[in-house]
C-alpha cells in the first residue's frame, strides 16, 4: 500500500489513459457496425482493436518513459533509490481493476462450465460486461481469435476471451515496465534500431 500511496498520481494517470482509449475504441466499433455489413464487421473490429491497442501501448510507453526520466534525475541527485521493477509495479497497480474483473469472469464462467449452476453464469456476466467496457480496445482482436468457438462452444468462447483480457492486461503492465526502464536509462526506443544499423 505504501507504493500505491507514493505513486498514486502516476497510477491514476496510466488508468486514465486506458479509460480514454476504451472510449475511443468503442466509438470506432460503433462506427464500424453502422458503416459495414455483417460480412466485413469482424475484420474491421480486428483492425480497430489492433490500432487501438497499439495506440494504447504507445501512450503507456511514453507516459512510463517520462516517469522513468523524472526518477533518473532524483536518483542521480541521491534523493531516490533506483528500483528496476517500479515500472512493472506501476503497470500492475494501474491494471488492478482489469485483473479483478478478468479473474472474476474466468472463475464465474469456469465454475459454470464445470458445475452447470446458473448462479455462476450470472456471476460471470456482471464483471464481464464491465471488463468489456474498461478494456474495449482488446475486444475486437479477442473476438476475432476465438470466433470459431462462438456458437458451437459459446461458454468456452467467453471463457477464453476472459483469459485473453487477463493476458493483455499483463502485457500492458510489461509495456509500462519497459517504458520506465528506458526512461530511467535515458534511452529511446529508436536507439535500438540505430544500434542494429551500426552493427
Amino acid at each position: 500500500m505504501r507504493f500505491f500511496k507514493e505513486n498514486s498520481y502516476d497510477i491514476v494517470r496510466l488508468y486514465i489513459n486506458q479509460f480514454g482509449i476504451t472510449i475511443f475504441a468503442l466509438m470506432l466499433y460503433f462506427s464500424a457496425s453502422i458503416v459495414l455489413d455483417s460480412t466485413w464487421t469482424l475484420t474491421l473490429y480486428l483492425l480497430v482493436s489492433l490500432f487501438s491497442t497499439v495506440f494504447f501501448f504507445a501512450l503507456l510507453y511514453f507516459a512510463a518513459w517520462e516517469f522513468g526520466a523524472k526518477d533518473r534525475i532524483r536518483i542521480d541527485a541521491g534523493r531516490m533509490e533506483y528500483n528496476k521493477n517500479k515500472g512493472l509495479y506501476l503497470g500492475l497497480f494501474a491494471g488492478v481493476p482489469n485483473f479483478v474483473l478478468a479473474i472474476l469472469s474466468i472463475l464465474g464462467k469456469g465454475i459454470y462450465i464445470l458445475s452447470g449452476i446458473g448462479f455462476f453464469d450470472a456471476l460471470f456476466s456482471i464483471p464481464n460486461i464491465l471488463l468489456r467496457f474498461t478494456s474495449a480496445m482488446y475486444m475486437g482482436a479477442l473476438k476475432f481469435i476465438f470466433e470459431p468457438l462462438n456458437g458451437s462452444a459459446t461458454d468456452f468462447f467467453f471463457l477464453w476471451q476472459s483469459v485473453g483480457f487477463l493476458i493483455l492486461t499483463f502485457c500492458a503492465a510489461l509495456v509500462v515496465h519497459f517504458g520506465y526502464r528506458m526512461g530511467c536509462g535515458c534511452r529511446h526506443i529508436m536507439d535500438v534500431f540505430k544500434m542494429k544499423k551500426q552493427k
Side-chain angles (χ1 to χ4, degrees), residues 5-40:
K5 287 178 181 178
E6 291 175 352
N7 299 280
S8 58
Y9 175 80
D10 295 342
I11 291 166
V12 170
R13 184 176 162 190
L14 290 172
Y15 190 75
I16 288 172
N17 279 338
Q18 176 186 322
F19 192 72
I21 289 295
T22 199
I23 291 172
F24 172 72
L26 286 170
M27 289 173 61
L28 290 178
Y29 289 138
F30 181 70
S31 301
S33 64
I34 292 173
V35 172
L36 293 180
D37 58 56
S38 58
T39 55
W40 289 98

Side-chain angles (χ1 to χ4, degrees), residues 20-191:
I21 289 295
T22 199
I23 291 172
F24 172 72
L26 286 170
M27 289 173 61
L28 290 178
Y29 289 138
F30 181 70
S31 301
S33 64
I34 292 173
V35 172
L36 293 180
D37 58 56
S38 58
T39 55
W40 289 98
T41 303
L42 189 61
T43 305
L44 194 57
Y45 278 2
L46 172 65
L47 295 175
V48 166
S49 181
L50 291 175
F51 174 74
S52 301
T53 301
V54 170
F55 189 29
F56 174 53
F57 283 177
L59 284 177
L60 290 180
Y61 171 82
F62 288 115
W65 192 97
E66 185 184 326
F67 300 156
K70 286 180 178 177
D71 282 355
R72 180 81 254 172
I73 296 168
R74 297 187 189 105
I75 292 164
D76 290 343
R79 291 185 285 119
M80 180 180 177
E81 287 186 20
Y82 176 58
N83 180 354
K84 66 179 181 179
N85 292 319
K86 182 179 176 181
L88 181 62
Y89 299 149
L90 288 172
L92 291 173
F93 269 105
V96 162
N98 295 344
F99 283 122
V100 171
L101 292 172
I103 290 167
L104 288 175
S105 296
I106 292 166
L107 289 175
K109 184 58 79 173
I111 294 171
Y112 171 72
I113 290 169
L114 293 172
S115 67
I117 300 171
F119 168 77
F120 291 105
D121 197 33
L123 188 66
F124 154 82
S125 62
I126 296 168
N128 191 256
I129 289 168
L130 293 172
L131 181 63
R132 288 169 184 277
F133 177 74
T134 60
S135 304
M137 56 280 187
Y138 308 138
M139 202 162 48
L142 294 174
K143 183 171 173 53
F144 185 87
I145 292 167
F146 299 113
E147 185 61 24
L149 295 173
N150 196 9
S152 60
T154 307
D155 288 328
F156 286 98
F157 171 72
F158 286 111
L159 175 65
W160 284 110
Q161 274 192 332
S162 300
V163 172
F165 280 117
L166 184 67
I167 292 168
L168 286 168
T169 301
F170 186 70
C171 289
L174 292 178
V175 170
V176 174
H177 176 61
F178 177 66
Y180 180 84
R181 291 285 293 271
M182 293 290 279
C184 219
C186 295
R187 291 173 292 167
H188 295 276
I189 199 162
M190 294 307 293
D191 294 343

